[in-house]
């Protein structure tokens, strides 16, 4: 509960907003109008989309400079970034992308005092650690980070994908592991390193983009999977693509990715990947002796209802099915006689939702979740028996297979208030041992005073929405608590309970953290996802609104203290929540978010996303896109909450003009004196591995919300 002094500070914060009412950098407007299916959609800010225009670039710079000047006058922001930086120093080293191939462990490790990770190798668990690649010194005066690694199956070569300043689109290089030498060839423009090496180590498959221009509509169109011989002097060849495989139903917006597996070394596989959950996959016999061209056959189609992962074992194919199973089931058929309609049910649908499964030598390991805690099961590929595995901790489980030839997997366990710990699970004995790639951290004791509460909120249509809360145990439900509410709700991705010391730091300052599990995510299975898909998308932001109303009605916070946040596809959620209910929120952050849904398909990543949100070419889907469009729903003279939009200048997923247009439209139309700001991260993309950049970015985002919601530590100097 705040003192009378705090209330005075809050009043002063409201008065200080008058500083922003007439001083924004100027934004011109035009007369552009789109006409879809006989309906006109005005777009007065279309000119901002021309990001190669010097006038547009200068406009972004002016907005960024203005926002930086505003933030320089707000207390608490730099202190918060520094606090997170200090917390990162008490962490132990972090490990990622761990492989064991050819008797060697390969992995990315980030030390507490490092902003990005380096690549190391170790010959067996007892071997000494050796540095293989340092992105900070590889190219002078370049800020690089590793996007992916993939060693050959014999461990003699290592593929490394890297990019600059969070851009994701970058280059692929190969390291000769024996000589510890970076080979001179580069493969680009590359997206996410190597797809996979060929099982005989004769070469590798890598995804090639049509362009490296992140503003180009062609960026994610007509992607190709290339084959590169281990003789790197030979040119890469088109292996799997729309141009190469005209006999297959490959659309220009699909990601045709080919891969191989040592479980079935005589075959190669291909998938048409996109934001669509249902798998479209193919397979072909790869007879390297006869050099015959590949004959691709269908492995799965949309109608088969397969989602997630496909695994192979001795001619059998294992997959997750949605058919007559909203919570998903694990099924199997044979590659020789494919029949998904009559597949063997390995693990039937349960009350809990099937989250993921992996394969090691003799087992499949399956994770189920009730939305809060996970349970773990194994299926023996030899005995065909299913067995539940008792785990050392409860929480969210994430599985990884370091060595597919062993009966051992890595299980990472975490929760909202429990830092992650990774265990090596011996599947023959069902025993857990803390992994050598996991070191516990000693966080402040204040974190131990935090409470996690899980509730369900009745939505606008009576559906019960899960809501997770994190707060100090001594808070009073008097409506005076600052509350930060953040959600996503797209692609069937769940907001799983996981430890975030940024969230926990805010909670120790008296802030309530609220995570609504809205429709469009996967928390309650496939139907929950479809409940926020395309024409059902309004459920996503209406669920968010319902959770905000519940928090206010139950005394956790009040409209003057409630801030909302949405990132990426969550931009639809937050921009529509505040345009539908501007009275409910004091502040909102749209972080690298989609806010102009009617124009999304005309962005570099747009055609791919029509499968999730819809296309203007279809009259029904066009209407749905209009409903999702935050920019289109801004009304002149409405009293909107304070708004901060964040754009990543090197963002290949949500182009910067998407959040920029929302900020500009707010500046032009809101009737309040609350700020509407555009923060431009010129050293960032959709995200970045560089934790120092990340801490600064989120300190501004959270600091903005706390400032506008009246937190006493975050007010004008």
């Amino acid at each position: 509960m705040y003192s009378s002094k705090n209330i005075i500070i809050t009043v002063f914060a409201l008065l200080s907003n008058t500083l922003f009412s007439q001083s924004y950098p100027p934004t011109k407007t035009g007369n552009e109008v789109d006409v879809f299916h006989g309906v006109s959609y005005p777009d007065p800010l279309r000119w901002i989309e021309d990001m190669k225009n010097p006038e547009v670039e200068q406009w972004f710079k002016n907005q960024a400079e203005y926002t930086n000047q505003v933030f320089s006058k707000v207390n608490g922001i730099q202190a918060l970034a520094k606090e997170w930086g200090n917390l990162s120093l008490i962490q132990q080293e972090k490990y990622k992308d761990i492989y064991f191939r050819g008797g060697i462990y390969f992995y990315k490790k980030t030390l507490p005092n490092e902003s990005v990770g380096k690549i190391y190798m170790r010959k067996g668990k007892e071997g000494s650690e050796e540095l293989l690649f340092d992105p900070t010194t590889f190219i002078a005066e370049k800020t690089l980070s590793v996007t992916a690694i993939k060693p050959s199956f014999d461990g003699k070569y290592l593929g490394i994908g890297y990019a600059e300043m969070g851009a994701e689109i970058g280059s692929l290089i190969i390291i000769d592991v024996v000589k510890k030498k970076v080979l001179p060839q580069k493969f680009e423009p590359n997206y996410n390193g190597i797809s996979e090496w060929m099982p005989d180590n004769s070469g590798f498959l890598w995804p090639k983009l049509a362009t490296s221009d992140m503003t180009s509509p062609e960026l994610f169109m007509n992607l190709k999977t290339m084959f590169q011989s281990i003789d790197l002097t030979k040119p890469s060849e088109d292996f799997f693509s729309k141009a190469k495989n005209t006999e297959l139903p490959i659309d220009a917006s699909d990601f045709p990715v080919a891969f191989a597996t040592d479980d079935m070394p005589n075959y190669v596989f291909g998938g048409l990947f996109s934001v669509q959950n249902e798998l479209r996959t193919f397979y072909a016999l790869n007879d390297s002796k006869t050099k015959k061209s590949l004959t691709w056959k269908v492995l799965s189609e949309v109608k088969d209802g397969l989602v997630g992962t496909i695994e192979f074992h001795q001619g059998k194919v294992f997959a997750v099915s949605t058919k007559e199973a909203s919570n998903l089931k694990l099924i199997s058929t044979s590659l020789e006689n494919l029949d998904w309609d009559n597949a063997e049910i390995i693990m039937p649908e349960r009350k809990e939702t099937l989250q993921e499964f992996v394969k090691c030598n003799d087992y499949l390991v399956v994770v189920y979740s009730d939305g809060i805690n996970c349970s773990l099961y194994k299926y023996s590929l030899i005995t065909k028996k299913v067995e539940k595995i008792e785990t050392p901790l409860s929480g969210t489980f994430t599985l990884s297979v370091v060595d597919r030839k062993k009966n051992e997997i890595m299980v990472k366990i975490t929760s909202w208030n429990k830092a992650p710990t990774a265990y090596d699970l011996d599947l023959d004995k069902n025993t857990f041992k803390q992994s050598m790639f996991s070191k516990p951290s000693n966080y402040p004791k204040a974190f131990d005073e935090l409470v996690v509460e899980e509730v369900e909120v009745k939505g606008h249509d009576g559906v019960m929405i899960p809501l997770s809360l994190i707060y100090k145990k001594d808070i009073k439900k008097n409506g005076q608590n600052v509350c930060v509410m953040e959600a996503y709700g797209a692609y069937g991705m769940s907001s799983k309970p996981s430890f975030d010391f940024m969230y926990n730091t805010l909670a120790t300052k008296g802030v309530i953290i609220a995570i609504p599990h809205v429709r469009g995510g996967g928390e309650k299975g496939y139907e929950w996802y479809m409940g926020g898909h395309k024409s059902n998308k309004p459920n996503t932001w209406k669920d968010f609104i319902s959770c905000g109303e519940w928090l206010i009605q139950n005394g956790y916070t009040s409209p003057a203290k409630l801030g909302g946040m949405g990132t990426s596809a969550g931009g639809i959620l937050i921009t529509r929540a505040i345009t539908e209910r501007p009275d409910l929120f004091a502040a909102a952050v749209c972080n690298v978010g989609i806010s102009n849904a009617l124009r999304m398909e005309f962005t570099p990543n747009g055609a791919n996303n029509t499968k999730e949100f819809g296309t203007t070419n279809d009259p029904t889907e066009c209407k749905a896109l209009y409903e999702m469009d935050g920019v289109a729903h801004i009304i002149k003279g409405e009293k909107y909450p304070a708004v901060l939009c964040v754009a990543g200048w090197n963002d290949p997923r949500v182009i910067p003009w998407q959040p920029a247009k929302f900020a500009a439209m707010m500046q032009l139309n809101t009737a309040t004196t609350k700020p509407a700001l555009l923060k431009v991260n010129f050293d960032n993309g959709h995200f970045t591995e560089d934790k120092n950049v990340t801490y600064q970015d989120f300190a501004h985002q959270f600091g903005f919300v706390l400032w506008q919601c009246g937190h006493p530590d975050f007010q004008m100097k």
Side-chain angles (χ1 to χ4, degrees), residues 69 143 153 186 258 385 406 460 495 541 597 647 649 682 690:
Q69 290 176 355
T143 304
F153 288 100
K186 285 186 180 181
K385 292 182 178 179
K406 291 182 180 179
H460 70 99
S495 297
W541 66 80
W649 193 249
F682 291 102
D690 190 327

Side-chain angles (χ1 to χ4, degrees), residues 277-320:
N277 276 16
E278 292 82 6
L279 295 174
R280 296 169 293 157
T281 56
F282 307 89
Y283 69 103
L285 185 64
N286 187 26
D287 190 344
S288 58
K289 294 180 180 179
T290 61
K291 303 294 183 181
K292 291 182 179 178
S293 59
L294 299 178
T295 301
W296 292 95
K297 298 180 180 180
V298 173
L299 179 59
S300 67
E301 302 175 86
V302 171
K303 68 179 181 63
D304 295 318
L306 306 183
V307 296
T309 303
I310 290 182
E311 291 285 2
F312 305 91
H313 180 74
Q314 296 181 356
K316 285 193 171 184
V317 191
F318 297 87
V320 175

Side-chain angles (χ1 to χ4, degrees), residues 108-127:
K108 179 162 72 171
K109 183 178 77 170
T110 309
L111 295 174
N113 63 343
E114 293 178 330
S115 58
V116 298
K118 301 173 184 176
I119 307 304
Y120 297 84
M121 61 173 279
R122 182 193 297 266
K123 294 179 180 178
K125 290 187 176 180
E126 304 303 321

Side-chain angles (χ1 to χ4, degrees), residues 227-262:
F227 171 75
Q228 174 60 49
S229 167
I230 196 62
D231 180 356
L232 301 188
T233 61
K234 295 182 178 180
S236 293
E237 303 173 4
D238 188 351
F239 187 85
F240 187 62
S241 70
K242 178 178 174 61
K244 169 86 171 178
N245 304 101
T246 56
E247 77 281 11
L248 298 180
I250 303 177
D251 187 78
S253 63
D254 290 327
F255 286 16
V257 177
F259 57 96
T261 171
D262 54 352

Side-chain angles (χ1 to χ4, degrees), residues 60-105:
F60 272 96
K61 290 179 179 178
N62 293 343
Q63 290 282 340
E65 182 180 354
Y66 177 78
T67 297
N68 290 339
Q69 290 176 355
V70 171
F71 279 134
S72 70
K73 301 173 184 177
V74 179
N75 281 311
I77 291 176
Q78 292 306 316
L80 184 60
K82 183 178 180 180
E83 184 175 0
W84 288 338
N86 290 337
L87 283 174
S88 73
L89 294 176
I90 69 171
Q91 293 178 319
Q92 300 296 322
E93 57 263 35
K94 286 187 174 181
Y95 296 87
K96 190 178 180 183
D97 298 333
I98 307 166
Y99 294 90
F100 182 77
R101 291 183 175 180
I104 301 173
Y105 286 98

Side-chain angles (χ1 to χ4, degrees), residues 60 63-65 67-68 71 590-592 644-649 659 663 677-683 693 696-701:
F60 272 96
Q63 290 282 340
E65 182 180 354
T67 297
N68 290 339
F71 279 134
C590 175
N591 177 34
V592 293
L644 171 66
C645 291
V646 181
W649 193 249
L677 305 177
L678 174 62
K679 174 178 166 59
V680 185
N681 294 321
F682 291 102
D683 55 357
V693 174
Q696 281 288 331
D697 185 21
F698 282 98
H700 283 100
Q701 292 183 40

